[in-house]
Amino acid sequence: MGQLWENKILICALAAWAAAQLSKTVIYAILNRDFNWHRLFGDGGMPSGHSATVSALATGAALQYGLASFQFAVCFVLAIIVMHDAMGVRQETGKQAKLLTEITGILEGLTNRELAEENLKLFVGHTPLQVVVGSLLGILIAFLIC
């Protein structure tokens, strides 16, 4: 277990995730004047925790092993896939969930009965700005740690 704490690349990734999630919670609380504990661990929002994590991972690998290393190559490709997915499929899923929630609300109002057993997650994906800010946060944290 002690060896995990010596792994700077892992520490970079975990610290970037924690910083993004904490930032996301604070930003949500300021904008909505409501503190929501679910934002600490939830998806979506500013900045992207996914992007911060994989960017810190790739940057840590670059700093520790070099840009020509196998370790950096794997982390870089993973980062591109994760960030693309966060803006693509996951973002569209969030938009669809919002629309379905609105439609369900209208239908429930017309029929006077509950149609959905549970609410859909509205915070799923990220905008390009959220991904860029998350990525910059991850890079910064990796430089601070490594």
Side-chain angles (χ1 to χ4, degrees):
M1 192 68 171
Q3 289 180 336
L4 285 177
W5 296 112
E6 296 172 15
N7 188 331
K8 283 191 176 185
I9 297 172
L10 178 62
I11 299 301
C12 287
L14 294 175
W17 175 82
Q21 293 302 114
L22 186 59
S23 299
K24 178 186 308 194
T25 304
V26 170
I27 291 169
Y28 180 88
I30 291 170
L31 292 177
N32 295 287
R33 298 175 190 213
D34 175 45
F35 186 80
N36 184 343
W37 284 101
H38 298 288
R39 300 306 308 139
L40 276 174
F41 299 100
D43 298 327
M46 172 68 88
S48 166
H50 291 87
S51 298
T53 303
V54 294
S55 293
L57 187 70
T59 304
L63 294 171
Q64 185 122 14
Y65 299 107
L67 294 174
S69 69
F70 169 77
Q71 292 89 337
F72 172 71
V74 170
C75 293
F76 181 79
V77 170
L78 174 69
I80 296 300
I81 291 169
V82 168
M83 290 187 285
H84 181 266
D85 183 62
M87 288 188 299
V89 174
R90 293 171 52 81
Q91 178 68 6
E92 289 304 313
T93 300
K95 290 177 185 176
Q96 291 171 5
K98 184 176 181 181
L99 181 61
L100 286 171
T101 300
E102 290 176 13
I103 292 170
T104 302
I106 292 169
L107 291 175
E108 286 177 345
L110 293 173
T111 61
N112 290 325
R113 64 184 182 105
E114 189 174 325
L115 299 175
E117 292 181 22
E118 61 184 71
N119 292 330
L120 297 171
K121 291 182 182 179
L122 300 181
F123 294 105
V124 180
H126 293 285
T127 65
L129 179 63
Q130 293 168 343
V131 169
V132 168
V133 172
S135 183
L136 292 174
L137 177 64
I139 292 167
L140 174 67
I141 288 182
F143 270 101
L144 292 173
I145 292 174
C146 291

